[in-house]
Amino acid sequence: MELARATNRSVRLRNRSALLTRLFLDGPLTRQDLVRSTGLSQPAVSNVVADLIDEGLVAEAGAAESDGGRPSMLLRTAPRFAFVVGVDVGETRVRVELFDFAMTLLASIEYPLDPARTEPDLVAGHVLAGIDAVTGQAGVAPGDVLGVGIGVSGVVEQGAEAVVHAQALGWDRVPLERLISAGTDLPLHIDNGAKTLGQAEMWFGAGRGARHAVFALVGSGVGAAVVTNGATYRGASSSAGEWGHTTLVYGGRACRCGARGCLEAYVGAEAIIDRYREARRGRAVPGEDEESQLAALVAAADTSVTARRVLDDTAGYLGAGVANLINLFNPERVVLGGWAAMALGDLLPAVREAAGRQALRQPFEQASIELCRLGVDAVALGAATLPIARFLTEGGVRR
């Protein structure tokens, strides 16, 4: 009897998970749409949907268009059922954002980071202050927050608590989850920023519909998330995707990681600005920070041969790096994201051309290369999906 009850409970949770996931990602949908997309029977869909409506998880969203007969009612996840916080811990700032259950942005705050001051305690303090700030701005009680997702530069070692290895920040085995959990009772979910960007683009952006894709994050540094058969590839210790530290030029430019010739040493924003400075014979690049300096380089390319050459070289280097991704992983899509990639968006045709010269013909012809669709907020948005992904997998049951 106990076994039968346990089995029934497991089946019901699995059905709830399937229906909630479809409504969250593809809603609004009718009950008949859910029958077709999940393979569940009409009675099963009706019973589970009734429970989800009673619990406030699902709401009606008006009548669907009808060709005759009684119109079907559209269903969607209820936007105010719960809230999630997404955090982007980058190398130049900490961005904290609050979303409702429909992933509508409700509040946002940023804390600039001095590259010389990236101490873990300081970063954890910014995250905690940001959580308080965005929930306060939106008038959301802590008990209504489903969880906090955090995307961070570096390798995130998953375990009983997440530990971060981020050489660019000067971090070695930093117990970031422990530091943040000391100041909040909210559930924490921590992952690499390129991976959270990839999840956001898979769910809502340029990756939708793809089973095999690579999402490249180009900011101060460079990383990637590899998605195969719809799941992120992590490797033995979750460090898969450190594309920026693959070798582009043997014995080439010094990289921040301590090696030489890494891709990041040529196409990361810090490296691009450094190459521009060298091309200007040491003269400082205009601008107060990396973003304004990169913008100055892009603007100067219309009139400066030096700036144009630096950007052309950058497109070539980036195209060669993309070709390596295509040759290694045979993706349907390569999506370039991150603030630096967005700033360099006009280089996309040149990047495609360079990738075509370097990649094997057959896999290159099968792959599209495009910019991300979610802009500079993609890392924080993707981080906010981490607690939601757990919630959907568990059938909409809060632990």
Side-chain angles (χ1 to χ4, degrees):
M1 183 68 71
E2 287 297 325
L3 179 61
R5 277 199 292 265
T7 301
N8 289 339
R9 186 163 55 249
S10 175
V11 169
R12 194 161 188 80
L13 284 175
R14 189 164 62 246
N15 291 349
R16 285 171 61 99
S17 175
L19 292 172
L20 269 178
T21 300
R22 288 276 61 78
L23 284 171
F24 184 85
L25 294 177
D26 301 325
L29 298 168
T30 66
R31 288 168 176 81
Q32 195 56 45
D33 292 332
L34 291 170
V35 169
R36 285 192 291 266
S37 64
T38 64
L40 297 175
S41 67
Q42 183 78 51
V45 168
S46 295
N47 290 337
V48 173
V49 165
D51 288 344
L52 295 174
I53 291 175
D54 287 344
E55 295 168 26
L57 261 164
V58 170
E60 293 182 341
E65 292 186 8
S66 174
D67 294 330
R70 184 179 177 182
S72 298
M73 188 62 64
L74 289 166
L75 304 167
R76 63 175 299 183
T77 50
R80 306 295 290 186
F81 170 77
F83 304 86
V84 286
V85 175
V87 182
D88 176 1
V89 177
E91 296 179 29
T92 59
R93 64 170 54 85
V94 175
R95 177 184 285 120
V96 184
E97 299 183 338
L98 178 74
F99 301 86
D100 66 15
F101 201 55
M103 300 311 293
T104 300
L105 179 63
L106 303 180
S108 178
I109 192 167
E110 285 189 356
Y111 301 92
L113 277 181
D114 181 342
R117 291 210 58 210
T118 56
E119 295 92 342
D121 286 339
L122 176 68
V123 170
H126 286 333
V127 173
L128 290 168
I131 294 169
D132 288 342
V134 295
T135 52
Q137 287 174 31
V140 170
D144 292 330
V145 176
L146 196 60
V148 179
I150 302 166
V152 60
S153 299
V155 176
V156 180
E157 185 179 346
Q158 304 292 348
E161 60 179 22
V163 175
V164 180
H165 309 258
Q167 288 176 232
L169 299 175
W171 292 6
D172 183 26
R173 293 196 58 79
V174 168
L176 187 62
E177 183 171 354
R178 186 192 311 163
L179 293 175
I180 298 172
S181 64
T184 181
D185 293 328
L186 294 174
L188 302 177
H189 308 260
I190 303 177
D191 207 344
N192 169 266
K195 292 181 173 65
T196 69
L197 177 144
Q199 179 150 308
E201 291 289 336
M202 281 294 289
W203 281 21
F204 310 117
R208 277 183 68 91
R211 297 291 297 168
H212 304 277
V214 180
F215 301 91
L217 174 61
V218 184
S220 298
V222 176
V226 179
V227 173
T228 179
N229 283 319
T232 301
Y233 177 71
R234 295 184 171 276
S237 60
S238 200
S239 73
E242 287 297 326
W243 174 55
H245 300 290
T246 56
T247 302
L248 184 67
V249 179
Y250 180 74
R253 294 173 57 86
C255 181
R256 300 181 301 173
C257 73
R260 302 192 73 88
C262 294
L263 178 68
E264 183 175 298
Y266 293 87
V267 304
E270 181 179 306
I272 296 171
I273 293 164
D274 193 47
R275 289 194 293 109
Y276 187 37
R277 185 183 302 110
E278 291 173 359
R280 286 161 55 91
R281 298 182 180 178
R283 284 187 293 134
V285 178
E288 297 180 353
D289 54 24
E290 287 183 0
E291 293 188 30
S292 58
Q293 289 173 330
L294 189 60
L297 165 58
V298 172
D302 290 335
T303 55
S304 166
V305 173
T306 300
R308 184 73 260 163
R309 185 173 67 250
V310 170
L311 289 184
D312 288 346
D313 289 346
T314 299
Y317 293 136
L318 190 52
V322 169
N324 288 339
L325 293 174
I326 290 172
N327 289 346
L328 281 169
F329 300 110
N330 188 206
E332 300 163 64
R333 295 176 204 167
V334 177
V335 179
L336 301 176
W339 69 265
M342 303 305 293
L344 299 170
D346 288 346
L347 297 182
L348 188 60
V351 171
R352 288 177 176 142
E353 183 180 348
R357 291 195 302 268
Q358 296 295 123
L360 293 171
R361 187 181 303 112
Q362 192 267 349
F364 175 76
E365 290 174 349
Q366 291 182 337
S368 65
I369 303 168
E370 53 193 275
L371 287 176
C372 80
R373 298 178 189 170
L374 302 176
V376 296
D377 282 344
V379 172
L381 175 64
T385 68
L386 298 179
I388 287 182
R390 173 72 63 84
F391 184 70
L392 295 177
T393 298
E394 295 177 345
V397 177
R398 297 185 74 159
R399 302 297 182 186

